[in-house]
Amino acid sequence: MIRRYVFGSPIETDAVLCKPEAAVWQEGRLLLRDNVFCCGLKEDEIVYGLGQNVRGINKRGWIYESNCTDDPQHTECKTSLYGAHNFLILDGEKKCGIFVDTPAKVTFDIGYTDYEQMRIAPATPDFEFYLIEEESLDGVVSTFRKLIGRSFIPPLWAFGYGQSRWGYDSAEGVRQVAAGYRDKHLPIDSIYLDIDYMERYKDFTINEDTFPDFDRLIGQMKEQGIHLVPIIDGGVKKEDGYDVYEEGKAGGYFCKDADGEDFVIGVWPGKSCLPDMLNEEAGSWFAHKYKILLDKGIDGFWNDMNEPAIFYSEKGLREVFEKIDEYRTQNLDVDTFFAFQNMVADISSSPKDYGAFYHNYKGKRYCHKEVHNLFGYYMTRRASEAFEELSPKKRILLFSRASCIGMHRYGGVWQGDNSSWWSHLLMNIRMMPSLNMCGFLYTGADLGGFGDNTTEDLLIRWLSFGVFTPLMRNHSIRGTRMQEAYRFRSMHLMRDVIGVRYKLLPYLYSEYMKAALRDEMMFRPLGFVYGKDKLARRVEDQLMLGTSIMIAPVYEQNAEGRTVYFPEPMKLIRFHGGEIQEEGVYPKGFAYVEMPLGDVCVFLKENRILPLSKGGENVEEVDFEDLTLYCFGEKVQPYEYYRDDGESRVYDLKSGIRILTV
């Protein structure tokens, strides 16, 4: 059952595709007081959801904000990350989903002030509120997902392994990375280009000095089965003579300040303007610029800096410099020194700046802070809509850093600028089902960590989890340790681990497509499947993946294995040294499982089938027909195996599924 309530005059977000009739608010478990929804939480009640955010799968005990935020320090004390995903599920005696549909900030106090109370506070009195009640947790998710539409479907090659780094600053550097993988027979399907490929960080340009004959580079990579995937940023450099800037200025396509002038900020190229992505004409103009790269043979993009990130505004920078002149002559004591320090640190992503520019959205003028969470969504949506025109028959890979609910229809997300910390590997594990609940199926984190220096064992363990995530990309920041797999002493272990991905591809792609086309989750907490098992409901570091397997990654330094909880008998399938080993069946209960570095373990459910291929060094080499079916039990159920060409935009469950039996 779905109930939709309308409060005030909501700004349309386009998150919900088919809206039920509005109902009259009636208080029940949820009480509404001064624009805040309140309800009690029982001791054993679990709160799922909120997509991309910090802490555990169960969101009890902390305060969260839906407010797209450019913040690379993903520590437990933070309240928001890059996405704004206003959907949560209460798992108590009754199963209930809540969605707050608004483009502005929403605060979720889920037992922080009072562990037995939840408080939901939209920043404005204008919003829509959805209440979903179903018999099961999966039912709540499916009902919500049907409201918000089908998840993005990438091309098949985008399920292969990708290598990225901020610092591939020349075509020759890219060729060296490709050679490092191909010469060592390390599987790879894509190399990502960060801002290094651009001419002075200008969107839709190529640095001809360091990337001469870019078209030839693209062709050479494709001959090796490697797709180049460039980054596109949300800000346009303010430079006379730069055609994208000149067109945007002439067309009035940039966000304006209160006086109607182009609002100038600082990002990678320095002074820049923000295309008004929310405005259909302006957003479409920007999106059609992707054609410059599509025409060169590019078939995948990642959108960045689209919270939008603001290093500074012209006005804010001027105020800081004026204040520094005041401080210059002062004796900086404990109070003034920290005020000086914070003034400079707080210049980026300033709330004052987010309240200082405007959008033309659906025929009305809005201050940015009223519609903040829509910027990244519409940047990606406009691009996706342009691709339908520019590439009507062929899927284009597209994912974004910032997002809100609704964007899942147009692209995936990566989980932002994480760090090479073991805790961030665990956060990656916990974030997968939360994002799936909100419709984001094509997602993954920067394997090995983006910031700081990775370690050999951390990278191996992260790859061992990354073989399961739809987006499998190793990405790092310049100035840190190079973390391409071929650079390490244990390269042979990394080769084996990455190779597991290609053996799993028939199962992973099949489960992804069924989840997308049936509005389901690919990754589930154990509590979704074993809801009556009190122990399973509390497990936060194991996941059900699709219909057949459970995964229990190792995420602690120097561990040689881990304790696993088995909610039912399961068989261990171990990938070791390039071989697949069928090991014993673990009964219901706890057991310690040895998982040395380089081994990948999956746990197969009784009477279920796991189809595996022989692998390959890229997706094109994988034989999706010559499969080995793994199973155990006396009543093995048929497996619904989904196949399509992996490229066209035609998706059909009826014709795409065939039944595998043993």
Side-chain angles (χ1 to χ4, degrees):
M1 180 177 66
I2 308 169
R3 288 194 290 269
R4 167 177 165 256
Y5 304 101
V6 179
F7 297 92
S9 300
I11 299 172
E12 179 58 62
T13 66
D14 293 341
V16 175
L17 294 180
C18 185
K19 295 187 177 184
E21 281 290 323
V24 177
W25 176 257
Q26 291 182 336
E27 291 192 342
R29 183 181 178 190
L30 279 164
L31 306 178
L32 180 58
R33 300 289 185 271
D34 298 324
N35 209 47
V36 177
F37 295 89
C38 307
C39 79
L41 297 173
K42 294 187 177 180
E43 183 179 357
D44 63 345
E45 194 158 15
I46 292 175
V47 181
Y48 294 109
L50 297 186
Q52 184 187 27
N53 220 310
V54 297
R55 301 203 172 213
I57 293 175
N58 183 358
K59 297 302 181 185
R60 288 284 292 270
W62 189 237
I63 190 166
Y64 308 87
E65 291 181 335
S66 283
N67 187 50
C68 296
T69 303
D70 173 23
D71 183 352
Q73 299 302 316
H74 305 173
T75 50
E76 288 187 31
C77 61
K78 299 302 170 64
T79 57
S80 60
L81 294 179
Y82 306 95
H85 306 133
N86 309 344
F87 176 66
L88 54 80
I89 302 173
L90 305 181
D91 179 17
E93 292 180 7
K94 294 186 176 181
K95 317 302 180 189
C96 172
I98 294 171
F99 173 48
V100 185
D101 190 4
T102 173
K105 182 169 72 174
V106 182
T107 302
F108 298 86
D109 183 340
I110 308 177
Y112 170 71
T113 303
D114 179 344
Y115 193 73
E116 295 183 349
Q117 288 285 325
M118 179 176 71
R119 295 166 55 87
I120 302 173
T124 77
D126 305 306
F127 57 90
E128 295 187 2
F129 189 92
Y130 289 79
L131 191 61
I132 300 171
E133 294 177 331
E134 296 290 350
E135 293 295 319
S136 68
L137 296 170
D138 279 328
V140 172
V141 171
S142 181
T143 297
F144 177 62
R145 295 269 302 281
K146 284 179 169 60
L147 277 179
I148 61 176
R150 190 190 69 204
S151 297
F152 166 72
I153 295 176
L156 180 58
W157 64 261
F159 287 84
Y161 175 74
Q163 180 61 57
S164 181
R165 182 173 174 87
W166 176 13
Y168 294 157
D169 55 8
S170 69
E172 186 55 34
V174 171
R175 292 187 181 99
Q176 290 173 5
V177 173
Y181 276 90
R182 287 289 177 241
D183 292 350
K184 301 297 184 181
H185 298 286
L186 287 153
I188 190 171
D189 272 273
S190 55
I191 295 176
Y192 289 79
L193 303 179
D194 211 311
I195 56 177
D196 315 274
Y197 79 95
M198 302 178 188
E199 179 197 340
R200 291 179 292 123
Y201 310 133
K202 296 187 293 186
D203 278 335
F204 311 113
T205 65
I206 308 296
N207 187 329
E208 297 294 344
D209 294 330
T210 54
F211 285 85
D213 202 353
F214 192 60
D215 304 52
R216 180 167 172 264
L217 176 65
I218 295 168
Q220 288 175 333
M221 291 299 103
K222 286 196 172 180
E223 288 174 2
Q224 300 180 48
I226 295 174
H227 299 254
L228 292 185
V229 184
I231 197 171
I232 303 294
D233 285 331
V236 171
K237 181 175 174 63
K238 184 177 185 291
E239 178 181 270
D240 292 342
Y242 168 37
D243 58 349
V244 178
Y245 170 69
E246 294 286 8
E247 288 179 22
K249 181 179 178 181
Y253 294 146
F254 297 131
C255 294
K256 309 297 182 186
D257 63 18
D259 297 324
E261 300 296 322
D262 291 342
F263 185 68
V264 180
I265 63 166
V267 280
W268 300 123
K271 292 182 179 181
S272 304
C273 295
L274 292 169
D276 188 356
M277 303 296 184
L278 280 65
N279 178 274
E280 187 171 1
E281 182 180 354
S284 178
W285 160 77
F286 185 84
H288 278 77
K289 292 297 176 183
Y290 287 73
K291 185 176 187 297
I292 295 169
L293 294 166
L294 288 172
D295 287 348
K296 294 179 180 295
I298 294 295
D299 49 12
F301 301 88
W302 49 306
N303 287 345
D304 195 17
M305 305 293 285
N306 53 356
E307 290 71 35
I310 298 177
F311 291 172
Y312 60 83
S313 66
E314 274 193 322
K315 182 179 179 182
L317 190 63
R318 184 168 58 250
E319 291 174 351
V320 166
F321 284 140
E322 290 172 355
K323 194 67 177 177
I324 287 175
D325 285 338
E326 288 183 29
Y327 282 127
R328 195 188 306 275
T329 59
Q330 294 182 20
N331 172 33
L332 298 183
D333 60 16
V334 64
D335 296 321
T336 51
F337 172 74
F338 285 114
F340 163 74
Q341 187 181 51
N342 292 337
M343 175 190 68
V344 176
D346 293 344
I347 191 173
S348 295
S349 303
S350 166
K352 182 186 291 186
D353 288 337
Y354 287 128
F357 64 97
Y358 296 82
H359 297 273
N360 182 358
Y361 179 52
K362 296 185 180 292
K364 294 184 179 180
R365 184 172 183 258
Y366 292 101
C367 178
H368 174 79
K369 67 181 180 181
E370 298 178 274
V371 292
H372 172 72
N373 293 330
L374 294 181
F375 190 90
Y377 161 31
Y378 272 101
M379 178 182 180
T380 300
R381 174 176 173 171
R382 302 302 185 200
S384 176
E385 291 171 340
F387 295 159
E388 290 182 9
E389 174 189 337
L390 300 172
S391 179
K393 295 183 179 180
K394 179 181 175 181
R395 305 177 206 173
I396 303 296
L397 171 63
L398 182 62
F399 60 92
S400 171
R401 192 170 72 176
S403 66
C404 66
I405 288 175
M407 200 207 80
H408 70 286
R409 300 191 295 270
Y410 305 102
V413 293
W414 92 97
Q415 292 162 18
D417 298 341
N418 61 3
S419 295
S420 298
W421 302 344
W422 290 91
S423 62
H424 279 186
L425 168 53
L426 177 58
M427 185 166 68
N428 182 189
I429 296 166
R430 290 171 166 173
M431 208 177 281
M432 295 302 295
S434 299
L435 281 163
N436 277 197
M437 293 173 203
C438 298
F440 293 94
L441 297 182
Y442 191 77
T443 184
D446 290 341
L447 305 178
F450 175 68
D452 298 317
N453 295 308
T454 197
T455 61
E456 202 159 353
D457 57 341
L458 174 58
L459 180 55
I460 292 171
R461 291 300 190 192
W462 217 324
L463 289 170
S464 298
F465 174 65
V467 297
F468 301 109
T469 63
L471 171 60
M472 186 186 181
R473 181 180 74 153
N474 176 338
H475 183 42
S476 57
I477 191 173
R478 67 181 182 183
T480 61
R481 180 182 193 174
M482 303 289 281
Q483 60 188 50
E484 294 81 12
Y486 57 81
R487 298 184 184 276
F488 292 89
R489 177 194 58 81
S490 57
M491 176 188 67
H492 64 292
L493 296 181
M494 298 188 191
R495 181 193 296 117
D496 292 342
V497 171
I498 298 170
V500 172
R501 169 59 160 227
Y502 293 80
K503 293 179 172 69
L504 284 167
L505 264 180
Y507 179 74
L508 295 177
Y509 185 71
S510 179
E511 293 301 310
Y512 184 98
M513 294 300 293
K514 289 186 293 186
L517 298 176
R518 289 173 173 165
D519 300 311
E520 297 174 348
M521 298 168 65
M522 186 175 177
F523 291 85
R524 290 176 173 84
L526 268 61
F528 270 56
V529 180
Y530 306 99
K532 295 181 179 179
D533 184 331
K534 291 183 179 180
L535 294 175
R537 292 180 74 236
R538 294 297 174 182
V539 172
E540 294 239 336
D541 57 359
Q542 301 171 209
L543 299 174
M544 306 306 299
L545 172 49
T547 57
S548 300
I549 63 174
M550 180 180 77
I551 59 175
V554 174
Y555 55 88
E556 293 182 331
Q557 187 174 9
N558 297 321
E560 290 295 319
R562 57 161 294 173
T563 299
V564 178
Y565 178 65
F566 294 92
E568 65 170 289
M570 294 183 179
K571 184 174 188 177
L572 170 58
I573 307 293
R574 184 186 298 272
F575 299 86
H576 171 79
E579 302 296 326
I580 303 173
Q581 301 173 356
E582 296 185 72
E583 299 191 8
V585 175
Y586 287 85
K588 177 180 170 63
F590 289 96
Y592 181 82
V593 181
E594 291 186 357
M595 301 181 190
L597 275 178
D599 281 15
V600 176
C601 295
V602 302
F603 303 96
L604 178 60
K605 295 176 66 176
E606 188 172 12
N607 295 318
R608 297 299 179 100
I609 291 174
L610 174 62
L612 298 176
S613 79
K614 292 179 174 59
E617 291 189 19
N618 67 359
V619 170
E620 287 187 5
E621 289 187 3
V622 176
D623 188 337
F624 285 79
E625 301 300 325
D626 183 14
L627 305 176
T628 302
L629 307 184
Y630 292 83
C631 61
F632 79 102
E634 297 180 356
K635 299 179 180 179
V636 177
Q637 300 177 22
Y639 179 74
E640 293 184 315
Y641 181 50
Y642 180 90
R643 281 284 287 131
D644 61 20
D645 61 13
E647 182 175 288
S648 71
R649 293 177 176 269
V650 179
Y651 323 107
D652 180 33
L653 274 174
K654 187 175 181 180
S655 62
I657 283 182
R658 71 172 186 266
I659 303 301
L660 303 182
T661 59
V662 293

